[in-house]
Structure formats: structure tokens, C-alpha cells
Amino acid sequence: MDATKVLGKTLVVASPERRHEADADLVIVRRVQAGDVAAFDQLITQYRERVFGIVYNLTGNREDAADLTQDAFIKAFQSIHRFGGHSTFFTWLYRIAVNSSLSHLRRSRLRSFFSLERINTEDPVAREIVVALTDKTGVDRDAYVRELQEKLNDAMQKLSIKHRTVVTLFEVDGLSHQEIAEIMHCSVGTVRSRLHYAKQLLQAELQPYMRR
Amino acid sequence: MSLEGKKPVTLEDLLRLKRAERPAPEFWERFDRELRAKQLAALVQKRPWWRGLTPSLTGFRRYQIPLGAAAALVITFVTVRQQQSTSATVAPALPRQTQALSTEERSEPVRQSALEPLERSARFHPQVDETLAAVEAPVGVEPARSDFSEVIPLFAGTIDALSSDDASPSARYIAANLAAAESASTRVLLGKIGAFEARAIIARNSAVEPLQQMASPSEIRLARYRSPLVATIAGEPADDTGERMARRLSEERLYDQISRIGARGDRVRVRF
């Protein structure tokens, strides 16, 4: 069964990997809908880190991100019988997680406690960027990275919820404009304009840390 | 060591750093345990009754704006209809009140109520006949507005004539009734000139019946025979015992006594 063509509609999937991923997800979903509830654990294992990453970058709080990620999976499990395949399971799950995060942010607008994860400097991409930013080593470099991380989080929190969501989905999670538009129920043009505006604001905030 | 020659760092690179913000593996073990516990709790948790409605209502999501607009229109329509029905129940009462306060209906009862004591009193005092003949018009004819201006001076002259000190009690009663009628007529004129509220006040004030100011014929007869007869029967000074005896004596008994005793000139006749 081709997940990209469901009910006569052609779903836009960013890449072949995503297309293959969507097909596999649909098979698992059909099994869960048929009664094999244990199959849902495969979906949890597959998407928990990505969902957590999105929620964490939206909220800036590790504990809240864990709770919201768990709530998103529970809602998806309770509503799995209503998944009709109009979108990929990945998009459908992301939409639940983003909506839960947005609701949480609106409820706790007056209070915001940031609890940041440590940047894994062993990651090749992260290491390359840190090396390009500073020549410091050891403890000094860790302190510099910590300071940079807090500055990044502050700049992201200054964005509106919608702009922050677009930046997170595009820059952090690597989704396409079309996929972001499906998750956020808006047009591709809206996604592009929000992304451009958010980047302008972030550029002004993070200018001291950038080098051309 | 200088940073020149190093790779430039862009905004996208900085944002890509956030991908490296990942929790430790121990975090995911605790995450799975907590998720399992929450799943079991969700299974035993009683869902609110309205949760079962949401699947059936999901199909109406695309129609939420038209449905909402239709609901608002229906509520507005029902509210307006209720207000109209409320005002309709009040409105019929108002014309009735207005009719009661209109010139024609106000003038007729006042005029007729003013005339009734005059007609009664006419049997006792001949001067009233002239007044009645001048004032009384055919009942079915509605008086024009100018009639009242002609009637009032007529009443005024009659009142002066009847309220003099040497007039009989009945004449004084008639004078009082005429005064009441005059004041009612005056108020009618004022009401015609004035506002609706003034007419409403007139309607209430005109409820004072001239009959209430007038004694009944039986009381008049009692008063006429009270002083000399009671004094004769009881042998007491009339001014002291007259009222007491009049109260004790019923009218029937009084007539019986009168028929047995006759007085003419210097003779008193008693029948047994």
C-alpha cells in the first residue's frame, strides 16, 4: 500500500526516505487499529526523540518537554482509530505534539522556567561549529558553549509561538515547507514568510556569535 | 591564536547546535516507564461524556462558521420575537387605558355621575330642575370640547345659589355635588390640554362618586323626624337623646310610631 496515495490524494513527502518511512508507519498503524496495541510501541520508539526535540525547543524546559511528549503519545494512542491516512502518521503525530505544546505555552505564558539540556559536543556537527566559534578548550570552552546555548534559547523565546514553531521544524528538525504547512494548517507561503521574519529577528540577537 | 581563516558561522549553524541538545540514555528509560504508567492510567480513567460526541461532531468542523452564524441568527430571531410578544401583550392594555382616558369616555362618566345626584336632588328642590334642563343634553350625544366651557359657568351660578346658608340640607347636598362635578369637569379640561400622565391622574381622581358625599333618602327622613319625634316619645331633651334614640329606633318602628301619633297645630292625636 502506497502511503503517498491515499483516498485519491497525493501526499507531498519531502524525500524518498520519508516516503519509505510513511509507508512503514501506515502498516504499523493498521495493525494497531486491528487490535495489536503492542505495535504502537514501535511507533513510540521510532519518534520519541524527534517529538521530544520539537517540544523541548518550543518550551525550553526539559521536564515540561518530557511530560508533553508523553501526553502527545497517549493522545495519539487514544485517537489512533480516527487516523484515516489523509496525512502521514509522522505529520499527524507532530501536529498533536505541536498543539499540545502551544496549549501549554498559552497556559503558562506568565511563568517560564528554562531547563536546558547539555549540548553534546561529541556530536560531529556540533563540534565543528563550536571549533569554528571559539578557540577555547576545556572548561572555558564548556562555559562558552553554555553561554551560547542560553543566548540561543533567549533569542528563540523572544519569538512568537508560531515563528518559534516554524524555525524549530525547519532548522532544528529539518522538515520541508510543505510538511510544516501540513502540520501547522497554513499555506507554504505563510511558512516562508514566518521563517524569513523569524530569522531576521534571530540574526539581530545573535550577531555577536556569528562570523562571516 | 586568531580566528581568521576559520569557517564562517551563520545563523543556521547556530540553530543547528540545538540539534545537539539531547538528553542522556538514562533519561529515556525513565521516560518509557512514566509513559507506560500514564497509558495504564488513561485506560482506567473515566472519560467525560462529551468526549464521545467529538467523533460525531468532527465531520461538522468544516461547517463550524456557517453553523455558528446560523445559531447566532436563530438566537437573535427568537429574542426579537419574545420581545415583540411581550410588547404586544402590553400594547393591547394601553389602548384600553388610553380609551378610558380619552376625552369622550372621560367626559361621559364624569358628566353622567355629576348629573345623577342632580336628578335625585331634583325631587327635593325645584331649583335644580332648571339646572338640569340647561345642562342635560341627550345622552347619546357626545359633547364637543366647547360644551364644557359653557357648562362650568352654569354650574358655578347654580352652586352659589344652592350653597347659601338659608338653603335646606338637600340643597346643600346638591351644591356639594355640583362642586364636585365642576372640579371633575375642570380636571377634564386640564387633562385634554395636558399630557397622558395628567389624564391618567384625572381618571383615577374622577373615581370619587358624588353619591358618596350624599346621604341616602332614608337617612334624610331619619334626620328630619329625629329631633321633634324622639324628644316627644322619650321625654328627653332632643339635643341630648335624639341621636341615641334615632340609632335605637329602626325605620319600621319609627313609621309605626309616627302613624299612631299625629300632631296638628295645638293638638296631639294618639291612636291605640
Side-chain angles (χ1 to χ4, degrees):
Chain A
M1 185 177 179
D2 188 0
T4 59
K5 280 189 183 277
V6 178
L7 298 177
K9 290 168 73 173
T10 301
L11 302 174
V12 177
V13 184
S15 63
E17 291 80 18
R18 288 279 169 83
R19 204 172 296 133
H20 176 73
E21 185 182 70
D23 293 339
D25 293 341
L26 194 59
V27 172
I28 299 173
V29 168
R30 293 294 181 235
R31 281 170 53 192
V32 175
Q33 288 176 341
D36 185 11
V37 295
F40 192 76
D41 291 341
Q42 297 180 35
L43 296 171
I44 294 176
T45 307
Q46 183 174 350
Y47 289 113
R48 64 183 183 184
E49 291 187 23
R50 291 171 69 178
V51 173
F52 176 82
I54 292 172
V55 178
Y56 166 75
N57 284 294
L58 286 175
T59 59
N61 187 293
R62 180 174 54 189
E63 284 72 27
D64 288 345
D67 290 336
L68 291 170
T69 304
Q70 290 162 357
D71 291 342
F73 278 111
I74 289 172
K75 286 179 185 176
F77 180 70
Q78 289 176 334
S79 309
I80 196 72
H81 61 282
R82 292 208 299 267
F83 177 74
H86 300 288
S87 61
T88 63
F89 175 78
F90 161 78
T91 304
W92 184 70
L93 180 64
Y94 265 44
R95 195 180 299 149
I96 294 173
V98 168
N99 289 337
S100 298
S101 303
L102 297 182
S103 301
H104 170 78
L105 287 170
R106 289 193 187 100
R107 279 195 306 267
S108 58
R109 196 176 301 182
L110 294 178
R111 54 173 186 87
S112 53
F113 302 104
F114 302 121
S115 171
L116 302 178
E117 291 285 356
R118 200 173 66 88
I119 290 180
N120 184 11
T121 53
E122 301 302 320
D123 182 81
V125 175
R127 187 168 62 233
E128 185 180 349
I129 294 172
V130 172
V131 168
L133 280 172
T134 181
D135 286 330
K136 296 175 183 177
T137 58
V139 179
D140 293 337
R141 191 179 72 174
D142 292 341
Y144 177 83
V145 169
R146 191 77 183 171
E147 178 189 332
L148 175 63
Q149 184 186 15
E150 289 174 1
K151 189 65 181 175
L152 260 174
N153 187 63
D154 289 343
M156 287 286 284
Q157 293 300 320
K158 286 180 182 176
L159 297 174
S160 70
I161 296 174
K162 291 179 180 176
H163 290 99
R164 199 185 317 156
T165 305
V166 170
V167 170
T168 301
L169 293 175
F170 185 79
E171 294 291 347
V172 179
D173 210 53
L175 300 181
S176 66
H177 293 157
Q178 180 64 36
E179 290 173 320
I180 296 172
E182 284 185 22
I183 291 171
M184 297 186 69
H185 281 297
C186 62
S187 65
V188 174
T190 302
V191 172
R192 289 200 177 106
S193 67
R194 285 179 184 169
L195 192 60
H196 175 71
Y197 179 76
K199 280 186 174 180
Q200 280 186 326
L201 294 180
L202 291 173
Q203 196 111 12
E205 287 288 324
L206 301 171
Q207 190 63 43
Y209 296 92
M210 292 188 296
R211 192 173 64 247
R212 296 182 186 275
Chain B
M1 183 175 178
S2 74
L3 297 171
E4 293 176 357
K6 291 202 172 191
K7 181 187 171 187
V9 178
T10 62
L11 177 63
E12 287 76 11
D13 293 330
L14 292 176
L15 291 172
R16 217 163 280 135
L17 268 177
K18 294 195 73 63
R19 296 183 187 177
E21 290 182 36
R22 293 196 212 105
E26 302 80 40
F27 171 83
W28 294 114
E29 293 174 5
R30 192 183 69 179
F31 179 90
D32 290 336
R33 282 199 306 272
E34 290 175 357
L35 178 58
R36 184 71 60 192
K38 286 185 179 180
Q39 278 180 311
L40 293 174
L43 285 173
V44 298
Q45 187 180 15
K46 190 177 179 183
R47 299 184 75 181
W49 63 270
W50 49 267
R51 280 289 179 94
L53 296 175
T54 49
S56 59
L57 297 174
T58 305
F60 292 101
R61 189 185 293 181
R62 68 182 68 183
Y63 305 115
Q64 56 187 356
I65 293 176
L67 282 175
L73 278 174
V74 167
I75 291 170
T76 306
F77 181 71
V78 169
T79 307
V80 168
R81 282 292 295 270
Q82 279 182 352
Q83 283 184 350
Q84 284 178 353
S85 63
T86 307
S87 61
T89 54
V90 174
L94 287 176
R96 277 189 239 117
Q97 289 180 4
T98 307
Q99 287 172 8
L101 298 168
S102 66
T103 304
E104 295 75 14
E105 294 198 10
R106 251 184 306 110
S107 64
E108 201 170 77
V110 170
R111 194 162 166 278
Q112 289 183 356
S113 64
L115 287 174
E116 281 174 357
L118 286 176
E119 291 172 353
R120 288 200 196 96
S121 301
R123 293 184 218 137
F124 304 101
H125 203 286
Q127 289 182 6
V128 180
D129 286 340
E130 298 174 4
T131 308
L132 274 175
V135 171
E136 191 170 349
V139 179
V141 172
E142 298 296 337
R145 292 189 178 211
S146 59
D147 290 347
F148 289 95
S149 59
E150 296 171 4
V151 164
I152 288 175
L154 193 65
F155 275 3
T158 308
I159 290 170
D160 291 336
L162 294 175
S163 61
S164 58
D165 291 338
D166 53 347
S168 64
S170 61
R172 284 199 285 276
Y173 284 124
I174 293 167
N177 293 332
L178 286 174
E182 182 189 15
S183 62
S185 303
T186 307
R187 287 195 293 272
V188 164
L189 275 181
L190 290 175
K192 284 194 289 183
I193 298 168
F196 172 80
E197 292 79 11
R199 294 183 184 187
I201 293 171
I202 288 168
R204 287 193 291 271
N205 290 339
S206 64
V208 178
E209 291 287 336
L211 281 174
Q212 294 176 359
Q213 305 171 18
M214 185 180 166
S216 63
S218 60
E219 291 177 7
I220 294 171
R221 283 194 291 272
L222 273 174
R224 188 184 297 161
Y225 295 110
R226 186 181 302 155
S227 299
L229 183 61
V230 170
T232 306
I233 294 172
E236 294 173 3
D239 54 349
D240 293 333
T241 61
E243 289 185 2
R244 271 183 281 140
M245 292 307 295
R247 265 185 259 123
R248 273 185 242 153
L249 287 173
S250 64
E251 193 170 338
E252 187 181 359
R253 229 182 124 190
L254 182 63
Y255 281 126
D256 190 30
Q257 296 291 339
I258 292 169
S259 63
R260 289 173 182 273
I261 297 172
R264 185 179 295 175
D266 57 347
R267 292 184 186 178
V268 175
R269 187 182 61 200
V270 179
R271 290 186 198 156
F272 296 96

